[in-house]
Amino acid sequence: MVREIKCDINDKEVTLLADLRLSLAEMLRQNGYFGVKIGCGVGECGACTVLVDGLPVDSCLYLAIWAQGKNIRTVEGEAREGRLSPVQQAYVEEGAVQCGFCTPGFIMTSTAFVEKHQGRACTREEIRQGHSGNLCRCTGYENIIRAVERCQKEDLDKETGPDQE
Ligand code: FES
Ligand code: FES
């Protein structure tokens, strides 16, 4: 049975059709949001992470029909007016991308993490914990953690000015 789903994707109101059994990941990919990767398909790898009302969700385990009336963010919506988001830019600066398959999911998890902890720099352990639902087969974890640290530091510098030597 097919249902009509009205939701907001990357700040745009959309109406999509989805079978009741379809996952959000599949619905998004069927509608051109190919940044949503399907790795394991069972909630283990985080490659399919999108934000639903600001919270990271494994979209392979989230039914498309649950997206009714929700605000969805995918990696496609993060760059604005040709500029990468602060998280994306930090990933580039820190070389936190290897094959790139896990990257969209990581970017969305990092984005939610940075937004949640705005105004303070988290410890490495907090950053690790906050990203524990995302796996990278290329094992580029160190650079990903550094990217999140950089992003948080730049954010704080904007608020308080850079550290004085
Ligand atoms: Fe969804 Fe792996 S594809 S968690
Ligand atoms: Fe290859 Fe993470 S960069 S899986």
Side-chain angles (χ1 to χ4, degrees):
M1 190 188 292
V2 172
R3 283 275 166 82
E4 200 172 68
I5 294 157
K6 287 186 203 301
C7 59
D8 196 285
I9 302 180
N10 299 334
D11 290 334
K12 213 168 131 194
E13 272 180 41
V14 293
T15 302
L16 304 175
L17 294 175
D19 184 273
L20 289 180
R21 294 160 300 179
L22 204 68
S23 71
L24 177 59
E26 290 167 315
M27 181 181 78
L28 289 168
R29 288 185 59 84
Q30 284 178 6
N31 286 279
Y33 299 92
F34 297 118
V36 181
K37 304 296 182 202
I38 299 180
C40 65
V42 292
E44 296 287 345
C45 73
C48 62
T49 305
V50 300
L51 305 191
V52 177
D53 289 345
L55 297 176
V57 158
D58 288 334
S59 60
C60 68
L61 293 184
Y62 192 98
L63 285 176
I65 51 170
W66 295 342
Q68 179 72 33
K70 305 275 193 215
N71 183 292
I72 314 288
R73 282 166 68 188
T74 74
V75 75
E76 284 89 352
E78 292 304 298
R80 301 279 162 94
E81 293 165 12
R83 289 172 70 95
L84 295 177
S85 73
V87 168
Q88 289 173 317
Q89 189 61 43
Y91 269 59
V92 172
E93 303 289 342
E94 293 296 337
V97 181
Q98 293 180 69
C99 80
F101 189 82
C102 70
T103 308
F106 262 105
I107 294 272
M108 298 318 291
T109 296
S110 297
T111 299
F113 183 88
V114 167
E115 289 176 359
K116 178 176 172 192
H117 296 97
Q118 209 158 20
R120 79 179 181 94
C122 294
T123 63
R124 300 203 118 212
E125 191 45 39
E126 286 174 310
I127 297 172
R128 270 197 207 99
Q129 284 291 329
H131 291 72
S132 58
N134 292 74
L135 301 178
C136 174
R137 285 180 302 186
C138 303
T139 66
Y141 297 108
E142 176 60 25
N143 294 23
I144 290 169
I145 291 168
R146 282 215 307 267
V148 176
E149 285 178 326
R150 171 189 278 263
C151 189
Q152 288 196 309
K153 181 172 183 319
E154 286 177 355
D155 216 27
L156 281 175
D157 286 351
K158 261 188 242 145
E159 282 175 29
T160 60
D163 293 342
Q164 300 299 312
E165 295 282 311

